Amino acid sequence: MIQIAIDGPSGAGKSTVAKAVAKKLGIIYVDTGALYRTVGYYVRSKDVDPKDADAVAALLPEIRVELKYESGTQIVCLNGENLGDRIRTPEMSMYASAVSAIPAVRAFLLETQRKIARENSVIMDGRDIGTVILPDADVKIFLTASDECRATRRRDELVAKGIATTYEEVLADMRKRDSDDRNRAVAPAVAAPDATVLDNSWMTPEESTDAVIRLVREKTGN
Ligand code: DC
């Protein structure tokens, strides 16, 4: 069993790299941001302010979030329904970030994440995997890139999904969200002291993947 933690800000390519590494190593890729997005989606559907900690906490007993795998692809279900790309909009990014600052939400999603890592070899991406969720992970990486590179990547991703947006809009949203995630009181999005920081601003996805694989081999000796 192996546990690989990949944390870092949005648009650093965590999911692209983690998916490729999972495939190469034959392990499971866990996208933990999808869990926060799913809670955010439910909060939005109930017209509740995602910053209202008490109101959001009061909704949690109504929410069942399940992580499933279909032909190696992660599916997150909200009360039995697969929300697909509905959780991938810029609005849901903001909702996810807002609800993720609420301690009750983090506590609610903790066991789902730890359970999957207890039962499978995983590469898990998020913001607090190396610091809180898997503090004993075999390999911890903090993947980052310049704001400009990350905003360009995120814009291209959204446009490919048919979501109309501009570079300036994405850059502003991204900076706000990263600053909120980094400065929150609970599980802030910072590198674990024992994480390797990898800046992939000028790397292709393949080069980033190779760099991570090299680190995994170095740390685990295989
Ligand atoms: O990785 P993502 O962009 O899908 O994450 C959406 C938001 O969820 C992100 O802005 C902060 C929050 N998040 C978190 O707090 N902890 C995680 N492990 C993953 C995501």
Side-chain angles (χ1 to χ4, degrees), residues 110-146:
L110 182 81
E111 183 51 23
T112 304
Q113 298 170 78
R114 288 211 176 132
K115 183 169 189 283
I116 191 129
R118 260 198 314 272
E119 296 172 351
N120 305 272
S121 281
V122 293
I123 178 161
M124 194 175 267
D125 90 16
R127 304 292 186 288
D128 64 336
I129 308 306
T131 50
V132 176
I133 305 295
L134 305 176
D136 299 323
D138 304 282
V139 186
K140 296 184 186 180
I141 294 161
F142 193 84
L143 202 59
T144 189
S146 70

PDB file of all heavy atoms in Angstrom, residues 110-146:
ATOM      1  N   LEU A 110     -13.863  14.173   6.501  1.00  0.00           N
ATOM      2  CA  LEU A 110     -12.575  13.584   6.889  1.00  0.00           C
ATOM      3  C   LEU A 110     -12.530  12.061   6.725  1.00  0.00           C
ATOM      4  O   LEU A 110     -11.641  11.514   6.086  1.00  0.00           O
ATOM      5  CB  LEU A 110     -12.272  13.973   8.340  1.00  0.00           C
ATOM      6  CG  LEU A 110     -10.947  13.486   8.884  1.00  0.00           C
ATOM      7  CD1 LEU A 110      -9.828  14.400   8.424  1.00  0.00           C
ATOM      8  CD2 LEU A 110     -10.950  13.433  10.402  1.00  0.00           C
ATOM      9  N   GLU A 111     -13.521  11.380   7.284  1.00  0.00           N
ATOM     10  CA  GLU A 111     -13.478   9.922   7.310  1.00  0.00           C
ATOM     11  C   GLU A 111     -13.607   9.319   5.901  1.00  0.00           C
ATOM     12  O   GLU A 111     -12.956   8.318   5.590  1.00  0.00           O
ATOM     13  CB  GLU A 111     -14.549   9.385   8.275  1.00  0.00           C
ATOM     14  CG  GLU A 111     -14.575   7.876   8.451  1.00  0.00           C
ATOM     15  CD  GLU A 111     -13.219   7.223   8.787  1.00  0.00           C
ATOM     16  OE1 GLU A 111     -12.311   7.905   9.305  1.00  0.00           O
ATOM     17  OE2 GLU A 111     -13.071   6.019   8.490  1.00  0.00           O
ATOM     18  N   THR A 112     -14.411   9.941   5.050  1.00  0.00           N
ATOM     19  CA  THR A 112     -14.549   9.454   3.663  1.00  0.00           C
ATOM     20  C   THR A 112     -13.166   9.404   3.008  1.00  0.00           C
ATOM     21  O   THR A 112     -12.825   8.452   2.302  1.00  0.00           O
ATOM     22  CB  THR A 112     -15.454  10.420   2.853  1.00  0.00           C
ATOM     23  OG1 THR A 112     -16.687  10.537   3.538  1.00  0.00           O
ATOM     24  CG2 THR A 112     -15.693   9.946   1.443  1.00  0.00           C
ATOM     25  N   GLN A 113     -12.368  10.447   3.262  1.00  0.00           N
ATOM     26  CA  GLN A 113     -11.043  10.524   2.641  1.00  0.00           C
ATOM     27  C   GLN A 113     -10.080   9.516   3.260  1.00  0.00           C
ATOM     28  O   GLN A 113      -9.339   8.819   2.568  1.00  0.00           O
ATOM     29  CB  GLN A 113     -10.484  11.948   2.767  1.00  0.00           C
ATOM     30  CG  GLN A 113     -11.348  12.973   2.052  1.00  0.00           C
ATOM     31  CD  GLN A 113     -10.921  14.404   2.397  1.00  0.00           C
ATOM     32  OE1 GLN A 113      -9.939  14.904   1.886  1.00  0.00           O
ATOM     33  NE2 GLN A 113     -11.675  15.060   3.268  1.00  0.00           N
ATOM     34  N   ARG A 114     -10.101   9.429   4.596  1.00  0.00           N
ATOM     35  CA  ARG A 114      -9.154   8.506   5.252  1.00  0.00           C
ATOM     36  C   ARG A 114      -9.477   7.056   4.935  1.00  0.00           C
ATOM     37  O   ARG A 114      -8.582   6.231   4.769  1.00  0.00           O
ATOM     38  CB  ARG A 114      -9.175   8.732   6.766  1.00  0.00           C
ATOM     39  CG  ARG A 114      -8.502  10.029   7.128  1.00  0.00           C
ATOM     40  CD  ARG A 114      -7.851   9.942   8.511  1.00  0.00           C
ATOM     41  NE  ARG A 114      -7.141  11.164   8.788  1.00  0.00           N
ATOM     42  CZ  ARG A 114      -7.231  11.848   9.918  1.00  0.00           C
ATOM     43  NH1 ARG A 114      -8.014  11.399  10.895  1.00  0.00           N
ATOM     44  NH2 ARG A 114      -6.550  12.953  10.092  1.00  0.00           N
ATOM     45  N   LYS A 115     -10.778   6.768   4.833  1.00  0.00           N
ATOM     46  CA  LYS A 115     -11.216   5.379   4.596  1.00  0.00           C
ATOM     47  C   LYS A 115     -10.683   4.884   3.253  1.00  0.00           C
ATOM     48  O   LYS A 115     -10.129   3.783   3.169  1.00  0.00           O
ATOM     49  CB  LYS A 115     -12.741   5.322   4.617  1.00  0.00           C
ATOM     50  CG  LYS A 115     -13.324   3.938   4.447  1.00  0.00           C
ATOM     51  CD  LYS A 115     -14.829   3.966   4.760  1.00  0.00           C
ATOM     52  CE  LYS A 115     -15.432   2.574   4.811  1.00  0.00           C
ATOM     53  NZ  LYS A 115     -15.656   1.994   3.508  1.00  0.00           N
ATOM     54  N   ILE A 116     -10.805   5.693   2.234  1.00  0.00           N
ATOM     55  CA  ILE A 116     -10.376   5.250   0.902  1.00  0.00           C
ATOM     56  C   ILE A 116      -8.861   5.024   0.872  1.00  0.00           C
ATOM     57  O   ILE A 116      -8.370   4.099   0.233  1.00  0.00           O
ATOM     58  CB  ILE A 116     -10.868   6.202  -0.206  1.00  0.00           C
ATOM     59  CG1 ILE A 116     -10.642   5.575  -1.585  1.00  0.00           C
ATOM     60  CG2 ILE A 116     -10.228   7.562  -0.162  1.00  0.00           C
ATOM     61  CD1 ILE A 116     -11.839   5.591  -2.436  1.00  0.00           C
ATOM     62  N   ALA A 117      -8.135   5.822   1.661  1.00  0.00           N
ATOM     63  CA  ALA A 117      -6.673   5.680   1.702  1.00  0.00           C
ATOM     64  C   ALA A 117      -6.234   4.510   2.588  1.00  0.00           C
ATOM     65  O   ALA A 117      -5.121   4.020   2.464  1.00  0.00           O
ATOM     66  CB  ALA A 117      -6.041   6.975   2.195  1.00  0.00           C
ATOM     67  N   ARG A 118      -7.125   4.089   3.494  1.00  0.00           N
ATOM     68  CA  ARG A 118      -6.810   2.909   4.326  1.00  0.00           C
ATOM     69  C   ARG A 118      -6.986   1.630   3.508  1.00  0.00           C
ATOM     70  O   ARG A 118      -6.283   0.662   3.685  1.00  0.00           O
ATOM     71  CB  ARG A 118      -7.793   2.838   5.503  1.00  0.00           C
ATOM     72  CG  ARG A 118      -7.271   3.361   6.803  1.00  0.00           C
ATOM     73  CD  ARG A 118      -8.084   2.882   8.006  1.00  0.00           C
ATOM     74  NE  ARG A 118      -9.514   2.971   7.882  1.00  0.00           N
ATOM     75  CZ  ARG A 118     -10.239   4.050   8.203  1.00  0.00           C
ATOM     76  NH1 ARG A 118      -9.661   5.135   8.655  1.00  0.00           N
ATOM     77  NH2 ARG A 118     -11.542   4.038   8.065  1.00  0.00           N
ATOM     78  N   GLU A 119      -7.954   1.678   2.604  1.00  0.00           N
ATOM     79  CA  GLU A 119      -8.340   0.458   1.891  1.00  0.00           C
ATOM     80  C   GLU A 119      -7.660   0.281   0.528  1.00  0.00           C
ATOM     81  O   GLU A 119      -7.757  -0.773  -0.077  1.00  0.00           O
ATOM     82  CB  GLU A 119      -9.871   0.438   1.729  1.00  0.00           C
ATOM     83  CG  GLU A 119     -10.569   0.358   3.079  1.00  0.00           C
ATOM     84  CD  GLU A 119     -12.076   0.518   3.009  1.00  0.00           C
ATOM     85  OE1 GLU A 119     -12.596   0.855   1.927  1.00  0.00           O
ATOM     86  OE2 GLU A 119     -12.722   0.309   4.052  1.00  0.00           O
ATOM     87  N   ASN A 120      -7.023   1.367   0.033  1.00  0.00           N
ATOM     88  CA  ASN A 120      -6.416   1.306  -1.303  1.00  0.00           C
ATOM     89  C   ASN A 120      -5.101   2.070  -1.313  1.00  0.00           C
ATOM     90  O   ASN A 120      -4.899   2.970  -0.512  1.00  0.00           O
ATOM     91  CB  ASN A 120      -7.326   1.997  -2.334  1.00  0.00           C
ATOM     92  CG  ASN A 120      -8.724   1.447  -2.360  1.00  0.00           C
ATOM     93  OD1 ASN A 120      -9.005   0.492  -3.069  1.00  0.00           O
ATOM     94  ND2 ASN A 120      -9.625   2.042  -1.577  1.00  0.00           N
ATOM     95  N   SER A 121      -4.245   1.730  -2.286  1.00  0.00           N
ATOM     96  CA  SER A 121      -3.101   2.587  -2.561  1.00  0.00           C
ATOM     97  C   SER A 121      -3.642   3.784  -3.325  1.00  0.00           C
ATOM     98  O   SER A 121      -4.397   3.617  -4.286  1.00  0.00           O
ATOM     99  CB  SER A 121      -2.082   1.843  -3.421  1.00  0.00           C
ATOM    100  OG  SER A 121      -1.324   0.978  -2.618  1.00  0.00           O
ATOM    101  N   VAL A 122      -3.264   4.981  -2.873  1.00  0.00           N
ATOM    102  CA  VAL A 122      -3.881   6.179  -3.466  1.00  0.00           C
ATOM    103  C   VAL A 122      -2.867   7.274  -3.771  1.00  0.00           C
ATOM    104  O   VAL A 122      -1.825   7.389  -3.117  1.00  0.00           O
ATOM    105  CB  VAL A 122      -4.929   6.820  -2.512  1.00  0.00           C
ATOM    106  CG1 VAL A 122      -6.128   5.921  -2.313  1.00  0.00           C
ATOM    107  CG2 VAL A 122      -4.318   7.224  -1.180  1.00  0.00           C
ATOM    108  N   ILE A 123      -3.240   8.080  -4.763  1.00  0.00           N
ATOM    109  CA  ILE A 123      -2.623   9.393  -4.906  1.00  0.00           C
ATOM    110  C   ILE A 123      -3.793  10.358  -4.748  1.00  0.00           C
ATOM    111  O   ILE A 123      -4.770  10.296  -5.484  1.00  0.00           O
ATOM    112  CB  ILE A 123      -1.851   9.570  -6.231  1.00  0.00           C
ATOM    113  CG1 ILE A 123      -1.279  10.985  -6.337  1.00  0.00           C
ATOM    114  CG2 ILE A 123      -2.673   9.237  -7.461  1.00  0.00           C
ATOM    115  CD1 ILE A 123      -0.142  11.118  -7.344  1.00  0.00           C
ATOM    116  N   MET A 124      -3.705  11.202  -3.727  1.00  0.00           N
ATOM    117  CA  MET A 124      -4.844  12.030  -3.344  1.00  0.00           C
ATOM    118  C   MET A 124      -4.473  13.486  -3.517  1.00  0.00           C
ATOM    119  O   MET A 124      -3.418  13.899  -3.040  1.00  0.00           O
ATOM    120  CB  MET A 124      -5.141  11.712  -1.875  1.00  0.00           C
ATOM    121  CG  MET A 124      -6.465  12.191  -1.376  1.00  0.00           C
ATOM    122  SD  MET A 124      -6.761  11.627   0.325  1.00  0.00           S
ATOM    123  CE  MET A 124      -7.649  10.126   0.092  1.00  0.00           C
ATOM    124  N   ASP A 125      -5.317  14.261  -4.205  1.00  0.00           N
ATOM    125  CA  ASP A 125      -4.988  15.682  -4.333  1.00  0.00           C
ATOM    126  C   ASP A 125      -5.964  16.564  -3.599  1.00  0.00           C
ATOM    127  O   ASP A 125      -7.121  16.194  -3.400  1.00  0.00           O
ATOM    128  CB  ASP A 125      -4.763  16.082  -5.801  1.00  0.00           C
ATOM    129  CG  ASP A 125      -5.997  16.544  -6.540  1.00  0.00           C
ATOM    130  OD1 ASP A 125      -7.008  16.869  -5.910  1.00  0.00           O
ATOM    131  OD2 ASP A 125      -5.933  16.611  -7.777  1.00  0.00           O
ATOM    132  N   GLY A 126      -5.451  17.708  -3.106  1.00  0.00           N
ATOM    133  CA  GLY A 126      -6.303  18.616  -2.348  1.00  0.00           C
ATOM    134  C   GLY A 126      -5.516  19.794  -1.824  1.00  0.00           C
ATOM    135  O   GLY A 126      -4.643  20.336  -2.515  1.00  0.00           O
ATOM    136  N   ARG A 127      -5.851  20.208  -0.614  1.00  0.00           N
ATOM    137  CA  ARG A 127      -5.169  21.348   0.002  1.00  0.00           C
ATOM    138  C   ARG A 127      -4.523  20.980   1.335  1.00  0.00           C
ATOM    139  O   ARG A 127      -3.593  21.635   1.780  1.00  0.00           O
ATOM    140  CB  ARG A 127      -6.151  22.506   0.260  1.00  0.00           C
ATOM    141  CG  ARG A 127      -6.923  23.005  -0.950  1.00  0.00           C
ATOM    142  CD  ARG A 127      -6.019  23.689  -1.950  1.00  0.00           C
ATOM    143  NE  ARG A 127      -6.771  24.305  -3.051  1.00  0.00           N
ATOM    144  CZ  ARG A 127      -7.380  23.649  -4.027  1.00  0.00           C
ATOM    145  NH1 ARG A 127      -7.327  22.324  -4.067  1.00  0.00           N
ATOM    146  NH2 ARG A 127      -8.026  24.303  -4.984  1.00  0.00           N
ATOM    147  N   ASP A 128      -5.056  19.943   1.991  1.00  0.00           N
ATOM    148  CA  ASP A 128      -4.598  19.595   3.345  1.00  0.00           C
ATOM    149  C   ASP A 128      -4.294  18.112   3.453  1.00  0.00           C
ATOM    150  O   ASP A 128      -4.374  17.544   4.531  1.00  0.00           O
ATOM    151  CB  ASP A 128      -5.702  19.938   4.363  1.00  0.00           C
ATOM    152  CG  ASP A 128      -6.955  19.094   4.138  1.00  0.00           C
ATOM    153  OD1 ASP A 128      -7.144  18.614   3.000  1.00  0.00           O
ATOM    154  OD2 ASP A 128      -7.721  18.884   5.098  1.00  0.00           O
ATOM    155  N   ILE A 129      -3.952  17.485   2.331  1.00  0.00           N
ATOM    156  CA  ILE A 129      -3.752  16.030   2.374  1.00  0.00           C
ATOM    157  C   ILE A 129      -2.486  15.704   3.175  1.00  0.00           C
ATOM    158  O   ILE A 129      -2.520  14.871   4.083  1.00  0.00           O
ATOM    159  CB  ILE A 129      -3.679  15.428   0.939  1.00  0.00           C
ATOM    160  CG1 ILE A 129      -4.887  15.882   0.102  1.00  0.00           C
ATOM    161  CG2 ILE A 129      -3.604  13.903   1.009  1.00  0.00           C
ATOM    162  CD1 ILE A 129      -6.232  15.617   0.702  1.00  0.00           C
ATOM    163  N   GLY A 130      -1.403  16.402   2.869  1.00  0.00           N
ATOM    164  CA  GLY A 130      -0.142  16.138   3.587  1.00  0.00           C
ATOM    165  C   GLY A 130      -0.136  16.671   5.011  1.00  0.00           C
ATOM    166  O   GLY A 130       0.612  16.174   5.858  1.00  0.00           O
ATOM    167  N   THR A 131      -0.951  17.672   5.290  1.00  0.00           N
ATOM    168  CA  THR A 131      -0.938  18.268   6.633  1.00  0.00           C
ATOM    169  C   THR A 131      -1.957  17.629   7.581  1.00  0.00           C
ATOM    170  O   THR A 131      -1.674  17.455   8.761  1.00  0.00           O
ATOM    171  CB  THR A 131      -1.235  19.784   6.560  1.00  0.00           C
ATOM    172  OG1 THR A 131      -2.412  19.982   5.771  1.00  0.00           O
ATOM    173  CG2 THR A 131      -0.080  20.566   5.968  1.00  0.00           C
ATOM    174  N   VAL A 132      -3.156  17.286   7.066  1.00  0.00           N
ATOM    175  CA  VAL A 132      -4.230  16.838   7.957  1.00  0.00           C
ATOM    176  C   VAL A 132      -4.756  15.434   7.621  1.00  0.00           C
ATOM    177  O   VAL A 132      -4.859  14.578   8.504  1.00  0.00           O
ATOM    178  CB  VAL A 132      -5.430  17.833   7.900  1.00  0.00           C
ATOM    179  CG1 VAL A 132      -6.600  17.331   8.746  1.00  0.00           C
ATOM    180  CG2 VAL A 132      -5.003  19.222   8.348  1.00  0.00           C
ATOM    181  N   ILE A 133      -5.081  15.211   6.365  1.00  0.00           N
ATOM    182  CA  ILE A 133      -5.785  13.956   6.016  1.00  0.00           C
ATOM    183  C   ILE A 133      -4.841  12.754   6.116  1.00  0.00           C
ATOM    184  O   ILE A 133      -5.174  11.751   6.747  1.00  0.00           O
ATOM    185  CB  ILE A 133      -6.408  14.043   4.594  1.00  0.00           C
ATOM    186  CG1 ILE A 133      -7.325  15.277   4.474  1.00  0.00           C
ATOM    187  CG2 ILE A 133      -7.164  12.758   4.245  1.00  0.00           C
ATOM    188  CD1 ILE A 133      -8.549  15.265   5.347  1.00  0.00           C
ATOM    189  N   LEU A 134      -3.668  12.868   5.491  1.00  0.00           N
ATOM    190  CA  LEU A 134      -2.703  11.750   5.511  1.00  0.00           C
ATOM    191  C   LEU A 134      -1.345  12.255   5.995  1.00  0.00           C
ATOM    192  O   LEU A 134      -0.374  12.319   5.228  1.00  0.00           O
ATOM    193  CB  LEU A 134      -2.556  11.149   4.096  1.00  0.00           C
ATOM    194  CG  LEU A 134      -3.838  10.685   3.401  1.00  0.00           C
ATOM    195  CD1 LEU A 134      -3.532  10.198   1.980  1.00  0.00           C
ATOM    196  CD2 LEU A 134      -4.520   9.567   4.204  1.00  0.00           C
ATOM    197  N   PRO A 135      -1.241  12.604   7.295  1.00  0.00           N
ATOM    198  CA  PRO A 135       0.017  13.174   7.779  1.00  0.00           C
ATOM    199  C   PRO A 135       1.197  12.207   7.666  1.00  0.00           C
ATOM    200  O   PRO A 135       2.351  12.630   7.668  1.00  0.00           O
ATOM    201  CB  PRO A 135      -0.281  13.527   9.246  1.00  0.00           C
ATOM    202  CG  PRO A 135      -1.506  12.762   9.606  1.00  0.00           C
ATOM    203  CD  PRO A 135      -2.267  12.530   8.341  1.00  0.00           C
ATOM    204  N   ASP A 136       0.901  10.899   7.537  1.00  0.00           N
ATOM    205  CA  ASP A 136       1.980   9.913   7.414  1.00  0.00           C
ATOM    206  C   ASP A 136       2.152   9.412   5.983  1.00  0.00           C
ATOM    207  O   ASP A 136       2.699   8.314   5.772  1.00  0.00           O
ATOM    208  CB  ASP A 136       1.713   8.718   8.352  1.00  0.00           C
ATOM    209  CG  ASP A 136       1.666   9.150   9.810  1.00  0.00           C
ATOM    210  OD1 ASP A 136       2.462  10.035  10.178  1.00  0.00           O
ATOM    211  OD2 ASP A 136       0.819   8.630  10.565  1.00  0.00           O
ATOM    212  N   ALA A 137       1.676  10.173   5.024  1.00  0.00           N
ATOM    213  CA  ALA A 137       1.788   9.746   3.619  1.00  0.00           C
ATOM    214  C   ALA A 137       3.241   9.424   3.271  1.00  0.00           C
ATOM    215  O   ALA A 137       4.163  10.059   3.791  1.00  0.00           O
ATOM    216  CB  ALA A 137       1.254  10.842   2.706  1.00  0.00           C
ATOM    217  N   ASP A 138       3.443   8.443   2.391  1.00  0.00           N
ATOM    218  CA  ASP A 138       4.798   8.037   1.998  1.00  0.00           C
ATOM    219  C   ASP A 138       5.496   9.141   1.209  1.00  0.00           C
ATOM    220  O   ASP A 138       6.708   9.313   1.299  1.00  0.00           O
ATOM    221  CB  ASP A 138       4.730   6.778   1.120  1.00  0.00           C
ATOM    222  CG  ASP A 138       4.006   5.656   1.825  1.00  0.00           C
ATOM    223  OD1 ASP A 138       4.642   5.034   2.688  1.00  0.00           O
ATOM    224  OD2 ASP A 138       2.808   5.426   1.545  1.00  0.00           O
ATOM    225  N   VAL A 139       4.714   9.860   0.402  1.00  0.00           N
ATOM    226  CA  VAL A 139       5.277  10.919  -0.428  1.00  0.00           C
ATOM    227  C   VAL A 139       4.341  12.129  -0.339  1.00  0.00           C
ATOM    228  O   VAL A 139       3.130  11.976  -0.443  1.00  0.00           O
ATOM    229  CB  VAL A 139       5.364  10.481  -1.913  1.00  0.00           C
ATOM    230  CG1 VAL A 139       6.087  11.524  -2.746  1.00  0.00           C
ATOM    231  CG2 VAL A 139       6.026   9.121  -2.056  1.00  0.00           C
ATOM    232  N   LYS A 140       4.937  13.301  -0.096  1.00  0.00           N
ATOM    233  CA  LYS A 140       4.135  14.531  -0.038  1.00  0.00           C
ATOM    234  C   LYS A 140       4.709  15.541  -1.016  1.00  0.00           C
ATOM    235  O   LYS A 140       5.907  15.852  -0.946  1.00  0.00           O
ATOM    236  CB  LYS A 140       4.181  15.144   1.364  1.00  0.00           C
ATOM    237  CG  LYS A 140       3.563  14.285   2.438  1.00  0.00           C
ATOM    238  CD  LYS A 140       3.580  15.022   3.768  1.00  0.00           C
ATOM    239  CE  LYS A 140       3.088  14.121   4.887  1.00  0.00           C
ATOM    240  NZ  LYS A 140       3.100  14.808   6.187  1.00  0.00           N
ATOM    241  N   ILE A 141       3.836  16.029  -1.884  1.00  0.00           N
ATOM    242  CA  ILE A 141       4.288  17.002  -2.878  1.00  0.00           C
ATOM    243  C   ILE A 141       3.385  18.219  -2.818  1.00  0.00           C
ATOM    244  O   ILE A 141       2.158  18.087  -2.695  1.00  0.00           O
ATOM    245  CB  ILE A 141       4.260  16.369  -4.288  1.00  0.00           C
ATOM    246  CG1 ILE A 141       5.295  15.240  -4.342  1.00  0.00           C
ATOM    247  CG2 ILE A 141       4.536  17.413  -5.373  1.00  0.00           C
ATOM    248  CD1 ILE A 141       5.091  14.266  -5.435  1.00  0.00           C
ATOM    249  N   PHE A 142       4.006  19.385  -2.868  1.00  0.00           N
ATOM    250  CA  PHE A 142       3.234  20.625  -2.967  1.00  0.00           C
ATOM    251  C   PHE A 142       3.505  21.168  -4.363  1.00  0.00           C
ATOM    252  O   PHE A 142       4.601  21.629  -4.664  1.00  0.00           O
ATOM    253  CB  PHE A 142       3.662  21.612  -1.881  1.00  0.00           C
ATOM    254  CG  PHE A 142       2.708  22.774  -1.739  1.00  0.00           C
ATOM    255  CD1 PHE A 142       1.556  22.662  -0.967  1.00  0.00           C
ATOM    256  CD2 PHE A 142       2.963  23.983  -2.384  1.00  0.00           C
ATOM    257  CE1 PHE A 142       0.678  23.733  -0.835  1.00  0.00           C
ATOM    258  CE2 PHE A 142       2.085  25.047  -2.252  1.00  0.00           C
ATOM    259  CZ  PHE A 142       0.943  24.929  -1.475  1.00  0.00           C
ATOM    260  N   LEU A 143       2.492  21.034  -5.215  1.00  0.00           N
ATOM    261  CA  LEU A 143       2.649  21.397  -6.624  1.00  0.00           C
ATOM    262  C   LEU A 143       2.179  22.829  -6.824  1.00  0.00           C
ATOM    263  O   LEU A 143       1.060  23.180  -6.417  1.00  0.00           O
ATOM    264  CB  LEU A 143       1.773  20.444  -7.440  1.00  0.00           C
ATOM    265  CG  LEU A 143       2.097  20.237  -8.909  1.00  0.00           C
ATOM    266  CD1 LEU A 143       3.508  19.695  -9.093  1.00  0.00           C
ATOM    267  CD2 LEU A 143       1.079  19.270  -9.529  1.00  0.00           C
ATOM    268  N   THR A 144       3.025  23.638  -7.446  1.00  0.00           N
ATOM    269  CA  THR A 144       2.624  25.026  -7.631  1.00  0.00           C
ATOM    270  C   THR A 144       3.155  25.550  -8.967  1.00  0.00           C
ATOM    271  O   THR A 144       3.921  24.874  -9.660  1.00  0.00           O
ATOM    272  CB  THR A 144       3.091  25.885  -6.430  1.00  0.00           C
ATOM    273  OG1 THR A 144       2.511  27.170  -6.555  1.00  0.00           O
ATOM    274  CG2 THR A 144       4.591  25.996  -6.343  1.00  0.00           C
ATOM    275  N   ALA A 145       2.680  26.733  -9.334  1.00  0.00           N
ATOM    276  CA  ALA A 145       3.137  27.388 -10.569  1.00  0.00           C
ATOM    277  C   ALA A 145       2.777  28.863 -10.418  1.00  0.00           C
ATOM    278  O   ALA A 145       2.013  29.226  -9.515  1.00  0.00           O
ATOM    279  CB  ALA A 145       2.442  26.786 -11.779  1.00  0.00           C
ATOM    280  N   SER A 146       3.328  29.697 -11.317  1.00  0.00           N
ATOM    281  CA  SER A 146       3.038  31.132 -11.200  1.00  0.00           C
ATOM    282  C   SER A 146       1.540  31.374 -11.404  1.00  0.00           C
ATOM    283  O   SER A 146       0.846  30.577 -12.045  1.00  0.00           O
ATOM    284  CB  SER A 146       3.822  31.902 -12.264  1.00  0.00           C
ATOM    285  OG  SER A 146       3.275  31.611 -13.537  1.00  0.00           O
TER     286      SER A 146
END
